[in-house]
Amino acid sequence: MMNYYIFAGIAMILWGVAPILGKLGLGNLQPLTALTIRSLLISLLLIVVVTVRGQWDLVAGAAVKDVAFIGLEGIFAALLGQLAYYYALKIGEVSRVSPIVSAFPLVALFLGILFLGEKLSVYKVIAAILIVAGMILMKY
């Protein structure tokens, strides 16, 4: 059975490749145009996969509360966050933009403690300090 470290590692690699592809793709495109193309392609692919797997009943049976939270997550991350990222990537260097965007765990750490009751540990504080230090170092 695969554990979350394997999936996180796969995501890390894919998300590490994605900025390079995004920067190359944004060459002659405006960020909103690029995001629209990206979203349409992903949506079409998901429609095909869900249809082939016969899982429309799972989509249709999702609870309203879950749909609302996932919808908001999509608006924050896949729409607004991605659009801001594309604007930054269009005018900035991948090596500088990507680390700043990738510091989102700092926000998630704070909000997880504030809203989800997650516990702060010494290791989390050290990790947060290292993330901030990394962002500062990437400025130079």
Side-chain angles (χ1 to χ4, degrees):
M1 182 167 104
M2 296 177 74
N3 67 27
Y4 66 91
Y5 287 113
I6 293 170
F7 286 113
I10 292 168
M12 175 190 67
I13 292 167
L14 295 173
W15 286 346
V17 171
I20 304 304
L21 300 173
K23 181 71 172 180
L24 292 170
L26 282 165
N28 295 316
L29 296 176
Q30 291 299 314
L32 183 60
T33 303
L35 183 56
T36 302
I37 292 167
R38 174 186 184 264
S39 298
L40 285 171
L41 290 172
I42 292 167
S43 295
L44 289 172
L45 181 59
L46 287 170
I47 288 168
V48 169
V49 170
V50 170
T51 300
V52 168
R53 295 184 67 167
Q55 294 184 331
W56 282 108
D57 58 324
L58 297 176
V59 175
V64 173
K65 180 184 92 174
D66 296 336
V67 170
F69 281 122
I70 292 300
L72 287 170
E73 187 271 344
I75 290 168
F76 275 70
L79 176 60
L80 301 175
Q82 190 70 36
L83 191 57
Y85 169 67
Y86 274 1
Y87 274 103
L89 202 58
K90 176 89 175 166
I91 60 177
E93 296 177 13
V94 171
S95 62
R96 292 177 189 249
V97 169
S98 199
I100 294 169
V101 173
S102 297
F104 70 87
L106 292 174
V107 177
L109 171 68
F110 175 73
L111 295 177
I113 291 166
L114 189 63
F115 293 111
L116 302 176
E118 295 181 359
K119 302 296 178 206
L120 186 62
S121 70
V122 172
Y123 295 108
K124 289 179 183 178
V125 170
I126 292 170
I129 291 168
L130 291 173
I131 291 169
V132 171
M135 287 174 44
I136 291 168
L137 290 173
M138 288 304 283
K139 182 178 180 213
Y140 301 103

